[in-house]
Amino acid sequence: MDAISVIRAKRDGTRLTDAQIDWIIDAYTRGEVADEQMSALAMAIFLNGMDRAEIARWTAAMIASGERMDFSSLPRPTADKHSTGGVGDKITLPLAPLVAACGAAVPQLSGRGLGHTGGTLDKLESIPGWRAQLTNADMLAVLRDVGSVICAAGEGLARADKKLYALRDVTGTVESIPLIASSIMSKKIAEGTGSLVLDVKVGSGAFMKDIDSARELATTMVGLGTDHGVRTTALLTDMSTPLGRTAGNALEVRESVEVLAGGGPADVVELTLALAREMLDAAGLKDADPAKALADGTAMDHWRRMIAAQGGDPDAPLPVAREHHVLRAESTGVLTRLDAYAVGLAAWRLGAGRARKEDPVQAGAGIELHAKPGDHITTGQPLLTLHTDTPSAFPYALEALADAIAYAPQATEFTTNPIVLERIA
Amino acid sequence: MDAISVIRAKRDGTRLTDAQIDWIIDAYTRGEVADEQMSALAMAIFLNGMDRAEIARWTAAMIASGERMDFSSLPRPTADKHSTGGVGDKITLPLAPLVAACGAAVPQLSGRGLGHTGGTLDKLESIPGWRAQLTNADMLAVLRDVGSVICAAGEGLARADKKLYALRDVTGTVESIPLIASSIMSKKIAEGTGSLVLDVKVGSGAFMKDIDSARELATTMVGLGTDHGVRTTALLTDMSTPLGRTAGNALEVRESVEVLAGGGPADVVELTLALAREMLDAAGLKDADPAKALADGTAMDHWRRMIAAQGGDPDAPLPVAREHHVLRAESTGVLTRLDAYAVGLAAWRLGAGRARKEDPVQAGAGIELHAKPGDHITTGQPLLTLHTDTPSAFPYALEALADAIAYAPQATEFTTNPIVLERIA
């Protein structure tokens, strides 16, 4: 077996054999297959695709490349959520403690942001003292004591995926359904959750720009999870405009705490509850009432205990950026468009995200949205507030927003997208 | 400008802009663009192609990545030949001194073998004392004194191509017309020859398996040469069976010397003369008579002087392999097939070629062909003699030959392919 023959097979449109897939994933993990060979294969997969059986084997080989976690010693059923990433998508923050408050264990291994979408760990790190890195034993202890934990995946999980993910990021091979689906599902299956809900974003701020691609990705992932004995469902959800009214690390933590306190933007509450119900159903907790847990403060209690268990101070003031700039409405009427991708890119340029893995992020940077599509607005009213520690970034952020906003005359009937577009099971 | 946006453009089927091509070739040469990025781009080019203008710019950028040679100080017109590579293709050896004997200067920068096709430098290195590495000054001196020189290209020529060629070799991105054409032509144009004849091989032993691909490659390269002021023509020639009666380093030198002595296999003589006439025509030497120069010994005189000028002893006995094995005919009838690729692969396994650039080759290893397609043969007569210093290789070489040979009944009319299939100008 050699790398070139595997690359050639996929390049020439052949399906890869189980033996070829097993060999190349293992050899790549061990460093025998070089990065430049794997990136050529990734591009061939990007352009020529993989069928369902190939994706399943590829995923299994990535799971086998690392350790598997085991939560069977926990007294509660495990449930996890994965989002394909969007702008202002802070849902994991209220969701994990909420579902824990309803009786499931939520082992939420999360990532950092890269590009225009934020990362859950970056957001939580804006809380003074909070640590993302836990040992497997510490993670299990927090799960047992609190019921939910949000932390970085250990080095040992799906090792092949770790290498491949970093490689795809620099070689233009990210937006491929077989590669995205196998990457996500290898981590989630190796993590050992009993049930999983996928939040597959659709729209300008998501990897999947149209609902057909999103449906294909969701269906592929649900199939992979089910085949590996994980109860898996997916919601296709709207990402044409940012979720909630904030995009940026500390800004999103503040909004998440508002939701846990029983308030917060309607769309964030709606999606948090929809995902919580999916997770609780999949975990066999059909009688749980997440809306009540938000309203009566038990979700907030779990949040505070979860943050404190990882060294964070839930009462500490959150960082605030040094400078801000208000962008005002240029027209009176109905806001018809506030583009998710543009807001994500602007937030990234303000310092909320990173260009390279090793870059730091600014805790306070980001964007507050004072209006959302469908809202009636008046010329001169504040639309967005931009926050940053580096005001030289303002012009670049504003440039990103140049075509992001559109208005219609006052009388226009304007229907916004529902948050949950479709359910795949 | 960044690598990912260039990769994505080609991945998504867009044509690359001049600025993108210039930037990525330069940045890759400087090491700013990583190998894994260039290999992803190479695969995207492989699968999505480049149009003629893109190939022209890509070639120009590769020329600009290194130095250019200049032979304008020579009193003779320069003419060069390039073969896309085949099994038993020793034509450069008799051709260069022959064309020099007819009045042109032949600056033949050559390569080493990789895979199943042999390399001209490997062949000549079987001559005791002969050196492939010359400084530019030494190369010019040999050209001035003898009229022809066959040597390794200096490090400075088409630097981007050197890196890219090595990368394509390990990433399954070799057999791409835009990448092959730009690689060959960037080196030949940078080398500074005034005219160029391309020998584009077609058949199982060649990169191009069918005549349509070969024609497309030839037309692309002729266009590139012409656009850069090099008088360029191409012959499409048969590579369904090995050229001549030997494949292997010293074996091919011996056969080349037979041709220079006025003998040798008919196909080698025919192709040598056809290419010589093309080169002499392109160099403006229409009255030269290469057949006469072979017959009267002047080509042989030039060969001896050329070999001696690079330290070689033209009278020294050539190395002979320690072991041999005779493969005999299993049938009486007409030999209808002796597959070029299989013979090349078998010769490679016997030690005539290398698996990795840093491997040595055996001077004596290779295969002698005692019959060629169209010959009448009798059961038990020798068909092939396999030579090697490592007899443990015999079974692997014989395995490569398992399906390479076919016979027809004695009375069958069998027409072999002509050597020169087509001319492109």
Side-chain angles (χ1 to χ4, degrees), chain A residues 114 164-174 355 357, chain B residues 4 8:
Chain A
L114 201 59
L164 184 54
Y165 189 86
L167 182 70
R168 285 166 54 212
D169 191 58
V170 297
T171 57
T173 50
V174 170
K357 277 186 294 293
Chain B
I4 298 175
R8 280 185 172 157

Side-chain angles (χ1 to χ4, degrees), chain B residues 288-303:
Chain B
D289 185 351
K292 181 166 174 293
L294 274 189
D296 69 10
T298 53
M300 179 65 100
D301 285 347
H302 278 79
W303 161 264

Side-chain angles (χ1 to χ4, degrees), chain A residues 222-387:
Chain A
V222 168
L224 286 171
T226 306
D227 289 350
H228 280 89
V230 180
R231 287 178 303 281
T232 309
T233 58
L235 299 183
L236 309 188
T237 70
D238 181 61
M239 188 35 66
S240 60
T241 199
L243 200 54
R245 291 179 171 262
T246 56
N249 301 308
L251 292 170
E252 294 192 45
V253 172
R254 193 183 313 151
E255 190 170 88
S256 301
V257 172
E258 286 168 20
V259 172
L260 287 160
D267 57 350
V268 177
V269 174
E270 180 185 341
L271 183 53
T272 301
L273 287 174
L275 289 166
R277 287 194 191 98
E278 287 288 332
M279 290 168 76
L280 292 164
D281 276 2
L285 299 164
K286 292 189 195 292
D287 298 332
D289 184 351
K292 179 167 176 292
L294 273 190
D296 68 12
T298 53
M300 178 67 99
D301 287 345
H302 278 79
W303 160 264
R304 295 174 58 86
R305 287 165 53 207
M306 180 181 81
I307 296 303
Q310 290 175 243
D313 176 357
D315 295 314
L318 290 165
V320 175
R322 281 197 288 272
E323 307 278 344
H324 70 274
H325 175 93
V326 176
L327 187 72
R328 293 174 189 279
E330 292 175 356
S331 186
T332 291
V334 178
L335 185 68
T336 54
R337 180 174 134 87
L338 182 51
D339 183 69
Y341 176 73
V343 172
L345 185 61
W348 176 72
R349 289 182 176 177
L350 290 168
R354 53 172 68 77
R356 287 185 296 192
K357 277 186 294 293
E358 50 284 2
D359 293 347
V361 297
Q362 294 179 24
I367 297 179
E368 283 180 280
L369 287 64
H370 306 295
K372 299 263 290 190
D375 288 355
H376 288 263
I377 48 168
T378 313
T379 305
Q381 85 168 65
L383 269 189
L384 303 175
T385 303
L386 283 55
H387 298 267

Side-chain angles (χ1 to χ4, degrees), chain B residues 56-419:
Chain B
R57 190 71 182 205
W58 187 272
T59 305
M62 293 220 290
I63 295 168
S65 73
E67 62 180 8
R68 295 188 69 154
M69 300 185 71
D70 181 5
F71 299 121
S72 59
S73 67
L74 290 175
R76 305 160 161 221
T78 46
D80 195 5
K81 188 259 322 188
H82 180 84
S83 161
T84 58
V87 178
D89 182 8
K90 70 279 295 174
I91 301 291
T92 297
L93 277 58
L95 181 65
L98 171 60
V99 173
C102 294
V106 186
Q108 186 78 51
L109 297 183
S110 296
R112 288 173 201 285
L114 201 61
H116 75 280
T117 63
T120 296
L121 301 181
D122 294 327
K123 294 170 192 175
L124 286 167
E125 281 176 346
S126 66
I127 301 172
W130 189 86
R131 286 177 296 108
Q133 298 290 343
L134 297 183
T135 64
N136 287 359
D138 285 345
M139 182 186 172
L140 205 62
V142 179
L143 264 184
R144 195 180 298 274
D145 296 346
V146 181
S148 64
V149 63
I150 304 175
C151 62
E155 280 302 305
L157 222 58
R159 303 176 80 90
D161 177 66
K162 256 187 202 75
K163 283 188 75 171
L164 184 54
Y165 188 86
L167 182 70
R168 285 166 54 212
D169 192 56
V170 297
T171 57
T173 50
V174 170
E175 307 91 336
S176 154
I177 287 178
L179 294 175
I180 295 173
S182 57
S183 172
I184 292 171
M185 295 306 293
S186 64
K187 280 177 289 201
K188 289 297 174 184
I189 295 165
E191 174 199 288
T193 187
S195 58
L196 175 65
V197 178
L198 299 162
D199 180 2
V200 178
K201 302 287 186 196
V202 191
S204 78
F207 277 134
M208 297 293 130
K209 309 296 180 197
D210 64 278
I211 194 149
D212 291 336
S213 312
R215 191 183 295 118
E216 188 186 340
L217 175 61
T219 306
T220 303
M221 292 196 291
V222 168
L224 287 170
T226 306
D227 289 351
H228 280 91
V230 179
R231 287 179 301 280
T232 310
T233 59
L235 299 183
L236 309 189
T237 71
D238 181 61
M239 188 35 67
S240 60
T241 199
L243 200 53
R245 289 177 173 265
T246 57
N249 301 307
L251 291 169
E252 294 193 45
V253 172
R254 193 182 313 149
E255 190 170 271
S256 301
V257 172
E258 286 168 20
V259 171
L260 288 160
D267 58 348
V268 178
V269 174
E270 180 185 340
L271 184 54
T272 302
L273 287 174
L275 290 165
R277 289 194 189 97
E278 287 288 333
M279 290 169 76
L280 292 164
D281 276 3
L285 299 164
K286 293 189 195 294
D287 298 333
D289 185 351
K292 181 166 174 293
L294 274 189
D296 69 10
T298 53
M300 179 65 100
D301 285 347
H302 278 79
W303 161 264
R304 295 174 57 85
R305 287 164 54 205
M306 180 181 81
I307 295 301
Q310 290 175 244
D313 176 357
D315 296 315
L318 290 165
V320 175
R322 282 199 287 273
E323 306 278 345
H324 70 274
H325 175 93
V326 176
L327 188 71
R328 294 175 187 280
E330 292 174 357
S331 185
T332 291
V334 178
L335 186 68
T336 54
R337 180 174 135 88
L338 183 51
D339 183 69
Y341 176 72
V343 172
L345 186 60
W348 176 71
R349 289 183 176 178
L350 291 168
R354 53 172 68 78
R356 288 185 297 190
K357 279 187 293 294
E358 48 286 2
D359 293 346
V361 297
Q362 294 179 24
I367 296 179
E368 284 179 279
L369 288 63
H370 305 296
K372 299 264 289 188
D375 288 355
H376 287 263
I377 47 169
T378 313
T379 303
Q381 86 168 63
L383 270 190
L384 303 174
T385 302
L386 282 56
H387 298 268
T388 186
D389 295 334
T390 46
S392 60
F394 283 132
Y396 301 103
L398 291 169
E399 188 195 336
L401 293 165
D403 298 320
I405 298 163
Y407 312 89
Q410 191 74 28
T412 310
E413 285 277 336
F414 181 78
T415 315
T416 54
N417 290 337
I419 295 297

Side-chain angles (χ1 to χ4, degrees), chain A residues 11 36-37 39 170 172 175, chain B residues 11 36-37 39 170 172 175:
Chain A
R11 178 195 82 184
E36 57 267 31
Q37 295 178 312
S39 69
V170 297
E175 307 90 338
Chain B
R11 178 195 82 184
E36 57 268 30
Q37 295 177 314
S39 68
V170 297
E175 307 91 336

Side-chain angles (χ1 to χ4, degrees), chain A residues 8-16 48-49 54:
Chain A
R8 280 185 172 158
K10 184 45 68 186
R11 178 195 82 184
D12 297 341
T14 315
R15 67 177 305 286
L16 300 181
N48 286 338
E54 282 177 290

